[in-house]
Amino acid sequence: NILYEDEAAVLVFIYGDPILENIKNSNLKYVANTPYFIIYNTSDTFFYLKGGKWWYRAGRVENTWRNIDNPPMTVREIAEQLDGTYDTDVDSIARTMKTPPKIVLSKEPAELIITDGSPDFANLEGSSLLYVRNTENEILMDIETQDYYTLVSGRWYKSKSLDKNDWASVDPTGLPEEFAQIQAKSEIGSVRASIPGTQEAKEA
C-alpha cells in the first residue's frame, strides 16, 4: 500500500491485529507484533504510543491517534524502564520535530509519501510532466493522462489520485516515453536510475 499525507506524519506498523502480552505485576499489556512502543492499559481501555518525546493515545489501534501531554503514570514508568529498547522511525523522526507528527498506522506492508501542505507542482522543462516540489519523495504527474507516479524503493507506482490509496505497481518499461527525457540536472533527476534506457539505469 502507498499512503499519502499532506502534513508531517510517521508510519507505524502492526503486523496484523494486535497481539497483547501481559506485563507482570501491572494492569498493562504490550503489543507484541510491532517494533514500536505500544501499550494497552486495561484500566482505561486505551492504547498508548510513545515516539521521541511525544505521547499518543487511541481507543483502538485503527482509530485516530491523538497527541497527549501525560499518559498514566504506570505507562510512563514502563516506558522509562524500556528506554532505548525501542528505536524506530517514530523516535528518530519525532526527535527532530517541534510539533508532534501525525501517526498513520498500517496492519500490512505500506509506504508513506508526504507533501508539506497541498502538492506544489512545477513543470519539467521540455516535457508534459510535472513534479512535486514540496516533498522529499519522488512524485510526478503526466499532464496528458493525469496519472500520478511515485518511486518507492526503486519501484514505480501509478494512481489517478494521491490520496485514494489505489496505487498500482508499474512495469518500468511501461513508463511514459517522456520519463527518459528527464534531465539529470533537474530537481527530479535522481529518478533516472530507475528509468530503463538511461545511462544512470545502465550503471545501476
Side-chain angles (χ1 to χ4, degrees):
N1 284 341
I2 307 293
L3 308 176
Y4 168 74
E5 294 291 336
D6 60 2
E7 61 182 294
V10 177
L11 182 62
V12 171
F13 290 105
I14 294 180
Y15 302 105
D17 292 325
I19 297 174
L20 300 178
E21 299 287 350
N22 291 322
I23 296 177
K24 290 182 179 179
N25 304 318
S26 77
N27 57 354
L28 306 177
K29 299 175 183 286
Y30 70 94
V31 179
N33 54 330
T34 179
Y36 301 90
F37 179 88
I38 304 178
I39 295 291
Y40 179 69
N41 185 359
T42 60
S43 296
D44 60 13
T45 66
F46 279 107
F47 286 89
Y48 293 87
L49 166 67
K50 183 177 185 294
K53 62 183 178 182
W54 311 113
W55 281 96
Y56 300 84
R57 186 179 76 174
R60 296 172 56 224
V61 292
E62 301 88 348
N63 285 3
T64 300
W65 287 85
R66 300 187 183 280
N67 174 243
I68 60 173
D69 292 328
N70 295 302
M73 182 58 66
T74 53
V75 176
R76 185 181 291 276
E77 289 174 350
I78 290 296
E80 292 173 353
Q81 293 174 23
L82 298 175
D83 184 41
T85 302
Y86 294 85
D87 186 13
T88 64
D89 291 343
V90 175
D91 291 304
S92 60
I93 295 174
R95 286 193 188 104
T96 67
M97 294 184 173
K98 295 181 180 180
T99 57
K102 179 179 180 179
I103 298 299
V104 178
L105 187 136
S106 178
K107 292 183 179 180
E108 55 190 52
E111 292 285 350
L112 180 64
I113 58 176
I114 301 170
T115 56
D116 185 9
S118 298
D120 179 15
F121 290 100
N123 285 98
L124 278 172
E125 193 171 332
S127 76
S128 63
L129 299 175
L130 303 175
Y131 74 96
V132 178
R133 292 190 291 191
N134 57 335
T135 180
E136 295 184 2
N137 303 106
E138 286 86 8
I139 306 174
L140 297 102
M141 181 181 184
D142 184 348
I143 298 175
E144 294 182 358
T145 64
Q146 296 291 294
D147 287 327
Y148 293 91
Y149 291 84
T150 189
L151 183 64
V152 178
S153 300
R155 295 181 175 88
W156 287 102
Y157 295 83
K158 180 174 73 171
S159 175
K160 286 293 184 183
S161 173
L162 284 175
D163 58 0
K164 291 187 177 178
N165 195 20
D166 60 352
W167 294 87
S169 180
V170 177
D171 186 325
T173 61
L175 293 171
E177 292 182 2
E178 287 191 322
F179 273 54
Q181 305 305 316
I182 294 174
Q183 298 298 309
K185 294 181 179 180
S186 72
E187 292 293 328
I188 204 79
S190 60
V191 303
R192 287 175 56 86
S194 298
I195 299 173
T198 64
Q199 185 60 36
E200 291 82 354
K202 293 175 183 177
E203 292 174 357

